[in-house]
Each structure stands twice: as structure tokens, then as C-alpha cells.
Amino acid sequence: MPWKILRSCFALPVGALCTLMALATVTLLPTRVRAQSGEVETFQRDSKQAIDETYTEHIRKYTTAPALNSPLTDYLPASSTVPTPAKVLGDVAGAPDVLPYAEDVYRYFRLLAAASPRVRVFTIGHSEEGREMIAVAVADAALLDHAKENSSRLAQLGDPRSLKLDDSKAQALVDRSFPIYYITGTIHSPETGAPTALMELAYRLAVDNAPYVQYIRTHLITLITPVAEVDGRDRMVDVYKWHKAHPGENWPHLVYWGHYVGHDNNRDAMAMTLELSKNVLNTYLEWHAQVLHDLHESVPFLYDNTVGDGPYNSWIDPILTNEWSMIASDNMARMQAFGMPGAFTHGNFDTWSPGYLMFMAAFHNGISRLYETFGNGGADTEKRVLSPDEYARTWYKPNPPYPTVVWSQRDNNNYEQTALLSSLSYFAHNSKLFLNNFYLKSKRSVEKPANSGPAAYVLAQDARFLNRQIQLLKVLALQHVEIQRLTQAATVALPPPPHKEGEEPKPETPPPPTSQTLPAGSFVIRMDQPFSRIADALLDRQYWSPEDPQKEPYDDTGWSFGDLFNAKVSRVTDSHILAAPMSPVPDLTQVTPGDAGAGPFYVVNNSAQVSLASLVYALRGAADVSICDGNFESDGQKFAAGSLMIGGVEASKLTSLLKQYDLTAVSIAGRPAVKLHAAEAPRIAFMHTWLGTQSEGWWRMAFDKLHVPFAYINTQTVSKESDLRAKYDVIVFAPVGYGSGQRIVDGLPMWGNALPWQTTSLTPNLGKLDSTEDIRPGLGEAGVAHLKDFVQQGGLLIAAEDTAEFAIEEGLAPGVFVAPRKEARVVGSVLNSVVVNGKHPLAYGYDGAVPLYSADGMAFAVSNLTLNYHLLTAKDYKRPTGRGSADDEDIPQGRAFETAPPLPAPKAWEATPLNEEQQRNNPYLIPAEYRPQVILRYAEMKDLLLSGLLANGDSVAEHPAVVVAHFGKGDVVLFANNPLYRGETIGSYALVFNAILNFGHLK
Ligand SMILES: [Zn+2]
């Protein structure tokens, strides 16, 4: 989680207080549950079991204040056979200066498994860079031995269709089953404490004979993935080692965490693009687990942010929101009883977006949980100075953190383990309740059509959408959602359209349709399946009220995948759809026909598929590929401008590529009579800064997954490379995410020591993706000049969001400006745009509306001048005092009347035309052929918002969103939106690849 200032309750409007008080009422529930079970857990250790004296002594030595430990973790039980973490670490878990690589963490778990029948280790997959990911199961041997049978029982509870929704059958299974509690550590690489805490936790669960630990291990399986982001962990350990080897110096920030992204690896639970997401979800579902509990570090000292703050996600089962409160309430009560300061569960984290790793459980009928503990970003013991909002006592933080604290990694490990152990205990004692809830949530997911609805989502069979629909279906498949296909057309009733306030139905307009016919071949996502909730949450639209008491949304407010994938998705409420003839789609790679026919020419119609560029690059040197610059017909079939004409290709090679890239081609006998240009597969350089690599990482991942090759360069390379044009045709400068153009030019301040990012024997995991002896220098003035030369000499620069702003500031985009945002509020919303210039190659394959992801409501304005100078328009002019009415003209007396020329009335996306007077001898006037071309503009206000938050959108509505600027012989493509974002914006990918494929043809 990012470091965010916690909101004090004083700032909460009354409405929010009520919500939170309602939650507080709910938290009475667990007390009742406990009272019924009649058990009071004391967490006493077994006095007959010997303790490991040395280990215990070190725990106490490294804990910086007695209150920062608990009776659960202030000792370690001894074992003559089972090794403690010291065996691998050389010291205790959380010891100062000790930060193990993933490999060492795994070595310990394997030693543990070899020594104890209560521990088993499994490989669950690998990272992008090939590093292993593991899961460790810890429980009584009897439970582990019967894990398979238990799993098949949990599978039935998780898919109640197998029980015909019979509660008595479910009850019998619940009685015989035990739950799985899955814990994941250090997904965020600079949050370093979890691996050692989890090593020691596993040891305790395997060895400790305290009655409460025995109860846990005989009533549930604890499943542990100690390192979720394994590539980033190894780099973080390298950085830490460098820091220890250079005392008194600054050390480099973690430039790369995972192979592609940093902090956003915890935003991938929707699109499922990263290996760690797939590996964790597959493990979670293979075990049919009930909880996914993810460990983070940011705020002091332990924030169980599962309860957090509203608004809560709309698509989760109400049972779940109460489970969050039940568990957290007991958990916080325990932490208060142990006297540990700074434990709380209400805070500013809103529980709206489902992108977080933990949310995989929330949407697969389990329980998502998350801890933020305090961390120092390494294993140094440090004095930490807190801010008043962190140490203030509030109603939800009765025992707040200290204003200043000496904090150690051991303190962190004490908190993580104490909270986890008491949570595991609570869960074990209430295991039957939670198993029953697991069944109920699964059953209610299956019953969705009969309750809240909808009945299904349908992706209508339509060749223009198929390629992107397949990408969306692949995401749903990764989410383990079942997909069907209509074998016959089906007609369903449509709900009446929503009535808009103040809108009277016009008598001349025909009544809205009351039914919809879905053709055979349409894809159906039935809502009567166990994982209907994730499909519903992804495919529905979101609305974040501008009046919501939560004024600082934690992450994106909208994500509707049907829009972002531009995939034509219908929400069907008529349950007749469920009775329509349909069959499962077992393999999404078999959906496109593949076989393109005999040739000799083939056309791939352009419908803004995500993978046209993949095909062009794959056919480089193996075929003659052209791009058609107009619409045309051949053999009675219609093709759109931008379609690919392929000749001289081996049919089998083409067929296999079409299949690989979910494309369809049509065989034609002769070359069509349409203007063509060669599809050149230009040489691409991908430029990153050393400030941050996450936003570009999402772009880089998109290019990699689509097999579009590029040279990976950085701003420092560009500052030294005077002839970029000789090497590259296209430079992609993806968003940096750190704002200003000045930072891109300046880099980090140059005082202090150099900050290397290189592969050395001390830092073997750094410098692989890219390296530098010092990450501080930025692009520099020389780099700016080289970039300008590159474009001037005919190169294409692609930039978005802050890098578009940078290009504008540096004069690379004459006539384009960032529109002042004024009061606009957009937080990761899906906004609608309209194609302005459908004939421009950038718009090939698009028509009508194009949904775009907007992070913050950025939009452009264009001018025929290089100055951002406001020219008077009809809208601005107000007549002076005189004769007649406001709409009449004043008439001077004693002379013939002369009508003034009308003032121009440009639209928000247009440049204001200049009259002769304004053009005369005006050095700032851009020659016609160099004026910017607006390709997409945002929709008018009433159609602008598709999903999420939008308020005061005047500065966004109708303003340019995608613009091609011209500089010298080259072009600069500017995006106000982020077209390649988190694997979610498949619908706008083709804008970027259109620019690349039509390099040299963008004027
Ligand atoms: Zn985190």
C-alpha cells in the first residue's frame, strides 16, 4: 500500500461517521459467537516445553521496547529436531542487518519440511524472470495427510451446484472439513519484514505446544507464500547489501521491483497479467482456501485495513463485509489486550477497487485480509519520527503509536506474528462458521440471477469486436470464470432505459427497443456459477458519487472492462438467457478460424485489434505486407481503411500466426484497387527514466506480450546519443508517473554520492533490465536537443500523460497545450471519447466512440499558434450598450451601416481560426501542414462518464484527448489518457500500434 496520511475522524463528515458507527455495531457479532462457543483463549505458552534460550534472548535484545512484543512471540520453543530460522539466517528472524534472499527463505522452509511432518513445501510457479514461487502448508500431520480428501469436500462447498444447493449435504461436509488460511508476504519489495516473520511463524506452528497453537494446527491448514514478488525481493536484498557496504551514503531507490511493475503488482487482481497474480490465485483456488491474507508495511504500527473505510465494493457478498469486521474486531481486541500500541482497523483505505491481491479471495467466495505493519525498508534499526495524524489518539486508535520510536525489523516481526497467530486462533475456533459462510457465499454466487441479478453478460458475436472480446474472455478464464457460447440465436427482454432527470421523451422519437436478439456464437458469462461475482464486478459499470464522503479515492474509481476492452458487452437481466442453447468454450485459442484460405492475397480487416502489430512484426521478411489507406470492397466483402494486405506468404505460416494472435484473414484473388503503403515494422526504441519505471513497465509488458520488438534505452543514453534517427524510427516515451518535465530533464539532485544500478558481485540482481553507474542524471539539455533532432529528422515520438506534457513544454508539439484542469475531479475513471478524424491512420479500425482510461482528467487544447494565446470567439463577445436588444446590432448614426465579419465559433476540440489581421506577419502562426491534428476528443458532458468519478468535467468534455503534432519532418503522438494501463485498456492499445505501423504516414 502506498504511504498515505491517515484521515482523522474529525475530518469525517457526519455521513461517514454513521457508516463507521454502523460497522462498529456489527463488530458485536464475534463476541456473541465466542460466547456461544464458550471458549476463552488465553494464549498461554506450554510451561512444560523448553524454550530456546539463545534465540529467546536475541528476540528480547532486538525488540526495542517491551510493549512492542507479546506473550506469543517473546520466546521461542525449543526443538531437538526442527531447525529454527537461525539455522539459515545466522540469527533470529527480524535480527538487525539480516535480510535473506528468497532462495534462503525457501532453503529454510525446505529444512523445516524435512524435519517436521507438519510442514510441506510446494512449488506454485515461477516469476517473469524464472524465479521459483512456493507455498508452505503447516498443520498437524493428520490434516496434511488428509488434505486431498478435505480439498475435494471444500471443492463441493465452493461449487454448491455439485450439491444441488442442498444445505443439509453442505452441513455434513462442513462438519467433516477444515479450512485453509492462506498468507502471502512481501508483494511490495521495499516492505521487507514478512519473509522472516513467516519463517518464524511456520516454526511456531510446527513446534510450539501451547494449547492455542495446537488448536490452530489441528483445526486448519496455514498456507504461506513467504515471497510473492520474488524478482523484486532479490533486487531489494541487493540494494540493502549495497547500503550496508556503503555506510553513511545514500543508496539507490528500488528502480525495478518486479520485471514490469512495482507497487502496482498489487493492482493486478483484475486483469491478471503478472505471473505472481496467476500463481497466487491458482494456489488459492487449488486449495479451495477461505482466506487470502496479504502482508504489507507502511503505517505505524499495525493497521488491519480490511475494515478500512467506505465506499465498499458493490459486488461483494454482505456476509464478507461482516466477516471482515468479525475477524478484525477480535484481532484488534487481542492486540489491545496484549498492550501493543498502534493497532487499529479503521482508516482511510476505501474498499472499492478490486485490484488488490487480497481481493482475489473476496471475489472467489473467500475472505480478503491485509495488514499494514511498520517497516524501515530494510533491516536497520532506526529512530522514526511520526506525524501528528499518525500518533493522535482517535476513536478507532485508542492506544496510538508513539510520537517517536526506535523501530527494528524484529518489532515488525513481533507485530506480524502476534496478529497472525491470534487471527489464526480465532479462525480455528470459528472454523465451522467460516466454512458454512464459504458455502453460503458460493451458493449465493450461483443464485445471483434469481436474487440481485443480472442473469448473464453477453458478448455479442461480431467480427469487429472478436479480437478484443477474446482478450477479455482470456482474463475471465484466468479468473476461473466459466464461458459459454450460444449455439442458436437468443432473444431476451431489455429493461426499460433509465429515466434521466429533466428529460422529457420526445414525441417524434420511436420508443426504445424492448428486446434484443443475440446471434449464435455470442459468448455468455452466466451468473449462476460460483465465480459470478468477479465477472459481474469486472463487466458492470461503476459509479462513484461526487458527493461520496470519501474524498480521496484510494485507487481507480472505474474499470468497467467491457468499455476498456471496447468489447461490446451486454448486461442481460432477462433470465431466459440461461435457458438458451449454449455450450462451454473449452479453449479460447480455438475461437478464431485460423485457416485463411488459398490466397494468393490475404486481407486482415482492421477493427482496432490489439495484435495487428504482432502480425506485421512476425511477418517481417517473410511476406509482403501493406496497409490499405482507404475503405474498399473485394469479392463482395467490405474492408476498412488500415486493413493489412498480405502477399507472398506461406499459407501455413500465416495460419499459425493468425491463430496465435486471435486474428482472422480473408483470402482474395487479386490486389484490390485501393491506395496502399508498405507496413514497415519500424525500429522502436523504448525510453525510460531512472525516476520510476512502473508506468512504462505496463507499456513494456504490453509490447512484450504482443511480441513487438524494441530497444530498451534510457534518458541518459539519449543524452549521450547525438544521432538517434540513424538507429530508430520510433521512440516510445511512456508515462513516468512522477509529474514534471523539469524532473525528466534534471533527474535527481546531484549532491551526495553516485547511486549505481549495476550488476556486481555484491548486487547480482541489479542492472539486468538496464544499468547505469549513477541513476541521478536525467535527460539533460543535451538529451532534449537529441530528441528534438530525432523528430526533426523524421522520427516519431509517442508520449502520454506526463511525458506528453514534457513534449509540449519542450516545444516538440507546436500548437498543442494541456487544457487547464480547473475544478475537474477524475480519479482513474473510464471516459468516453469520439473519433474526430476517422481518415487519419491513427484512427484506423475505430469508429464512433472509444472509451478511454483517464487518471486525472487531463485533456489538451489546440491552436494554430505556437503561443497559448486566447483569440476572441463568438462565445466571448458581448455587445456594448446601444440600440435595440442584446441580440441586435448597434448602428452608428450619420453613415451607412457596415456589418462586422462574424467571430469564429470553434468547438472545444478545434483551433480558433485566425483572420487576415491576426495572420499578417505573425511569426507564431503555424503553417497549415504543421498544425496539430486531433484524432480523438472527449465526449460531450452528458455522454462523458462511463465508469467511476467525474465532477466539474467542463475542462475535459469535448477537449482533445489524442493529438498528432508535427515537428520538422517528424511527428509527435500525444495521449491525454493512458492507452496502455495495467493490462486493462485493451480497447485503446491499437491507437499506439496504429501510430507505429503507420510511421512516416501520420501527416
Ligand atoms: Zn504494500
Side-chain angles (χ1 to χ4, degrees):
M1 295 285 140
W3 224 91
K4 278 212 168 188
I5 293 168
L6 284 172
R7 211 171 58 190
S8 103
C9 72
F10 304 111
L12 288 174
V14 176
L17 270 174
C18 293
T19 317
L20 294 167
M21 280 162 73
L23 285 171
T25 315
V26 165
T27 56
L28 290 172
L29 258 176
T31 319
R32 266 187 260 132
V33 170
R34 302 289 302 210
Q36 277 167 9
S37 69
E39 296 163 48
V40 177
E41 192 53 77
T42 59
F43 298 99
Q44 292 294 313
R45 77 172 202 88
D46 175 15
S47 56
K48 292 193 286 298
Q49 186 174 25
I51 62 167
D52 184 324
E53 297 288 354
T54 313
Y55 200 106
T56 301
E57 187 192 314
H58 280 88
I59 291 174
R60 291 175 182 171
K61 183 170 147 200
Y62 301 146
T63 299
T64 57
L68 305 179
N69 209 345
S70 73
L72 289 71
T73 51
D74 72 351
Y75 72 98
L76 195 80
S79 167
S80 56
T81 52
V82 181
T84 72
K87 175 90 179 169
V88 162
L89 299 174
D91 204 334
V92 306
D97 310 332
V98 179
L99 206 62
Y101 285 112
E103 194 187 329
D104 299 321
V105 176
Y106 296 175
R107 190 153 51 85
Y108 174 67
F109 280 110
R110 290 195 159 108
L111 288 173
L112 198 56
S116 169
R118 295 174 180 154
V119 181
R120 315 258 159 104
V121 177
F122 306 88
T123 300
I124 61 166
H126 292 82
S127 68
E128 277 76 5
E129 296 177 5
R131 292 181 180 85
E132 185 190 19
M133 285 179 69
I134 65 166
V136 183
V138 193
D140 201 78
L143 266 65
L144 293 178
D145 290 344
H146 294 102
K148 223 178 171 153
E149 299 92 299
N150 186 63
S151 191
S152 76
R153 288 191 294 271
L154 295 179
Q156 292 175 72
L157 291 173
D159 186 355
R161 294 173 301 184
S162 63
L163 306 170
K164 301 200 162 43
L165 310 187
D166 182 335
D167 295 354
S168 60
K169 283 187 185 156
Q171 197 52 57
L173 289 169
V174 166
D175 289 344
R176 291 160 57 212
S177 303
F178 49 86
I180 315 292
Y181 195 110
Y182 188 13
I183 304 166
T184 47
T186 201
I187 183 174
H188 284 162
S189 308
E191 301 163 17
T192 51
T196 50
L198 292 170
M199 288 161 74
E200 194 176 285
L201 180 84
Y203 175 88
R204 291 179 189 280
L205 288 171
V207 168
D208 200 325
N209 284 335
Y212 86 93
V213 176
Q214 293 194 48
Y215 195 92
I216 294 170
R217 68 172 170 250
T218 52
H219 287 79
L220 58 79
I221 293 180
T222 305
L223 197 61
I224 297 168
T225 289
V227 185
E229 175 56 272
V230 58
D231 296 334
R233 172 66 178 193
D234 285 1
R235 282 190 263 276
M236 182 64 203
V237 175
D238 278 5
V239 166
Y240 185 69
K241 279 166 57 191
W242 191 94
H243 153 60
K244 297 309 283 185
H246 298 81
E249 295 189 20
N250 286 337
W251 59 94
H253 67 96
L254 194 60
V255 178
Y256 297 91
W257 302 17
H259 188 74
Y260 291 117
V261 298
H263 189 270
D264 265 8
N265 58 8
N266 196 34
R267 301 295 183 275
D268 191 47
M270 290 194 271
M272 301 293 296
T273 63
L274 303 174
E275 296 306 309
L276 76 87
S277 308
K278 296 172 202 166
N279 294 336
V280 168
L281 180 61
N282 291 341
T283 305
Y284 180 82
L285 293 178
E286 269 164 36
W287 282 80
H288 304 285
Q290 281 63 53
V291 185
L292 181 59
H293 190 150
D294 198 27
L295 300 179
H296 290 254
E297 288 166 27
S298 61
V299 297
F301 292 99
L302 187 141
Y303 175 24
D304 176 353
N305 87 352
T306 321
V307 175
D309 195 2
Y312 277 13
N313 183 280
S314 288
W315 294 266
I316 50 174
D317 193 307
I319 293 173
L320 172 63
T321 65
N322 289 290
E323 288 176 322
W324 286 338
S325 293
M326 288 168 69
I327 302 173
S329 170
D330 181 84
N331 209 182
M332 292 309 105
R334 297 295 170 190
M335 298 300 281
Q336 303 308 348
F338 300 138
M340 298 179 87
F344 62 106
T345 189
H346 294 278
N348 73 332
F349 173 74
D350 71 65
T351 308
W352 176 246
S353 163
Y356 314 105
L357 185 83
M358 61 165 175
F359 243 77
M360 289 176 178
F363 275 124
H364 293 84
N365 302 321
I367 302 169
S368 53
R369 298 199 70 209
L370 193 149
Y371 286 160
E372 298 281 2
T373 52
F374 205 34
N376 291 345
D380 290 0
T381 301
E382 304 261 24
K383 180 186 173 187
R384 301 290 299 272
V385 182
L386 275 54
S387 61
D389 55 277
E390 290 175 319
Y391 60 74
R393 186 191 62 79
T394 66
W395 67 267
Y396 59 87
K397 235 193 252 184
N399 179 3
Y402 308 128
T404 62
V405 63
V406 174
W407 189 259
S408 68
Q409 178 130 296
R410 182 65 221 183
D411 297 332
N412 167 289
N413 281 199
N414 293 338
Y415 269 76
E416 283 184 337
Q417 288 186 74
T418 298
L420 282 170
L421 283 166
S422 52
S423 239
L424 288 168
S425 169
Y426 176 76
F427 204 81
H429 279 285
N430 295 282
S431 64
K432 300 300 174 191
L433 170 75
F434 289 116
L435 282 175
N436 198 50
N437 281 354
F438 172 61
Y439 162 71
L440 278 179
K441 286 180 286 182
S442 305
K443 182 181 156 196
R444 285 154 59 139
S445 292
V446 173
E447 290 174 335
K448 196 185 232 307
N451 294 325
S452 59
Y457 285 87
V458 178
L459 287 68
Q461 158 74 35
D462 188 328
R464 292 171 303 162
F465 295 88
L466 183 63
N467 172 269
R468 292 185 306 277
Q469 287 178 335
I470 294 172
Q471 313 318 311
L472 177 49
L473 294 168
K474 284 178 177 173
V475 171
L476 295 175
L478 289 170
Q479 295 280 7
H480 295 245
V481 170
E482 297 165 7
I483 300 160
Q484 320 267 331
R485 213 168 177 189
L486 290 179
T487 51
Q488 292 172 25
T491 299
V492 293
L494 288 170
H499 175 73
K500 282 193 182 167
E501 193 95 23
E503 241 177 50
E504 290 306 318
K506 293 180 190 124
E508 69 275 15
T509 50
T514 54
S515 70
Q516 176 185 19
T517 297
L518 301 156
S522 297
F523 298 96
V524 182
I525 314 299
R526 302 175 65 102
M527 290 292 106
D528 57 353
Q529 60 170 307
F531 302 144
S532 59
R533 283 180 198 287
I534 180 64
D536 194 10
L538 294 180
L539 299 176
D540 205 350
R541 283 188 176 148
Q542 294 76 42
Y543 175 70
W544 183 298
S545 165
E547 308 304 320
D548 195 283
Q550 173 63 277
K551 296 301 177 202
E552 289 174 26
Y554 203 82
D555 204 75
D556 291 340
T557 57
W559 54 82
S560 48
F561 273 31
D563 295 317
L564 286 179
F565 281 62
N566 197 8
K568 203 174 187 182
V569 175
S570 305
R571 183 175 189 269
V572 177
T573 51
D574 180 356
S575 58
H576 285 101
I577 186 69
L578 299 173
M582 62 180 84
S583 57
V585 180
D587 184 359
L588 288 164
T589 64
Q590 301 303 317
V591 170
T592 52
D595 186 9
F601 298 105
Y602 302 90
V603 183
V604 180
N605 190 28
N606 191 332
S607 57
Q609 300 96 318
V610 73
S611 45
L612 288 181
S614 313
L615 185 64
V616 170
Y617 279 89
L619 287 173
R620 241 184 332 179
D624 162 26
V625 186
S626 305
I627 295 174
C628 308
D629 284 313
N631 301 332
F632 64 98
E633 271 190 52
S634 180
D635 304 339
Q637 296 199 62
K638 288 184 177 170
F639 299 99
S643 296
L644 300 181
M645 240 282 296
I646 303 164
V649 67
E650 219 176 287
S652 62
K653 182 179 174 72
L654 181 63
T655 297
S656 80
L657 287 171
L658 291 170
K659 268 211 141 2
Q660 183 181 353
Y661 295 120
D662 308 312
L663 294 169
T664 308
V666 174
S667 168
I668 57 171
R671 282 178 174 277
V674 63
K675 192 170 157 273
L676 305 164
H677 72 264
E680 285 178 55
R683 302 164 300 168
I684 303 169
F686 204 99
M687 178 173 75
H688 72 89
T689 68
W690 291 101
L691 296 169
T693 62
Q694 171 159 284
S695 300
E696 68 92 9
W698 287 119
W699 284 54
R700 189 157 41 86
M701 184 184 74
F703 277 59
D704 278 355
K705 289 197 173 190
L706 290 166
H707 307 128
V708 175
F710 57 84
Y712 192 48
I713 63 173
N714 63 68
T715 44
Q716 295 176 0
T717 332
V718 168
S719 71
K720 292 176 200 127
E721 184 76 59
S722 60
D723 192 2
L724 293 162
R725 186 69 193 92
K727 284 184 167 172
Y728 312 116
D729 305 311
V730 180
I731 293 180
V732 176
F733 192 16
V736 175
Y738 286 87
S740 84
Q742 198 58 49
R743 283 194 70 192
I744 291 169
V745 176
D746 289 349
L748 293 169
M750 286 303 290
W751 47 65
N753 52 283
L755 303 172
W757 188 268
Q758 288 174 308
T759 313
T760 63
S761 54
L762 181 68
T763 57
N765 302 291
L766 306 187
K768 303 283 192 202
L769 281 155
D770 199 359
S771 67
T772 175
E773 57 197 24
D774 189 359
I775 61 173
R776 293 175 302 164
L779 181 62
E781 296 304 334
V784 174
H786 296 157
L787 265 188
K788 282 188 162 174
D789 286 348
F790 167 78
V791 181
Q792 192 110 44
Q793 292 161 25
L796 165 63
L797 177 68
I798 299 176
E801 297 183 330
D802 56 2
T803 60
E805 204 160 353
F806 155 81
I808 290 167
E809 284 169 13
E810 295 299 340
L812 277 155
V816 188
F817 304 95
V818 175
R821 281 180 183 69
K822 296 181 185 164
E823 300 295 306
R825 280 183 74 215
V826 170
V827 181
S829 304
V830 187
L831 302 181
N832 217 350
S833 78
V834 177
V835 176
V836 173
N837 188 343
K839 289 209 163 75
H840 194 281
L842 211 73
Y844 281 166
Y846 289 98
D847 52 17
V850 185
L852 301 176
Y853 168 82
S854 173
D856 62 359
M858 180 178 178
F860 297 124
V862 292
S863 172
N864 293 333
L865 300 172
T866 58
L867 295 177
N868 196 6
Y869 176 76
H870 185 72
L871 298 161
L872 204 68
T873 67
K875 205 168 66 184
D876 310 311
Y877 180 72
K878 301 279 184 289
R879 66 154 285 189
T881 305
R883 69 155 285 279
S885 71
D887 299 326
D888 288 323
E889 290 193 86
D890 196 16
I891 296 177
Q893 300 297 310
R895 53 167 254 210
F897 178 65
E898 281 218 26
T899 308
L903 286 168
K907 303 286 189 189
W909 65 89
E910 292 172 336
T912 306
L914 279 71
N915 62 29
E916 291 99 317
E917 181 73 17
Q918 291 162 332
Q919 292 185 46
R920 187 181 311 124
N921 192 30
N922 185 344
Y924 299 105
L925 181 68
I926 305 170
E929 69 270 29
Y930 289 107
R931 289 179 190 165
Q933 292 168 285
V934 175
I935 311 302
L936 294 181
R937 63 157 174 99
Y938 283 113
E940 55 203 277
M941 189 65 96
K942 72 178 174 55
D943 300 323
L944 184 58
L945 179 66
L946 292 170
S947 269
L949 168 64
L950 172 69
N952 313 318
D954 290 332
S955 59
V956 185
E958 302 186 36
H959 282 71
V962 181
V963 179
V964 183
H966 308 291
F967 184 76
K969 287 189 221 156
D971 308 295
V972 179
V973 173
L974 303 160
F975 292 93
N977 61 308
N978 188 346
L980 270 64
Y981 175 72
R982 292 182 178 174
E984 297 173 6
T985 57
I986 293 296
S988 53
Y989 274 32
L991 293 165
V992 173
F993 293 113
N994 274 345
I996 290 171
L997 291 183
N998 293 285
F999 159 74
H1001 299 269
L1002 297 176
K1003 283 214 168 58

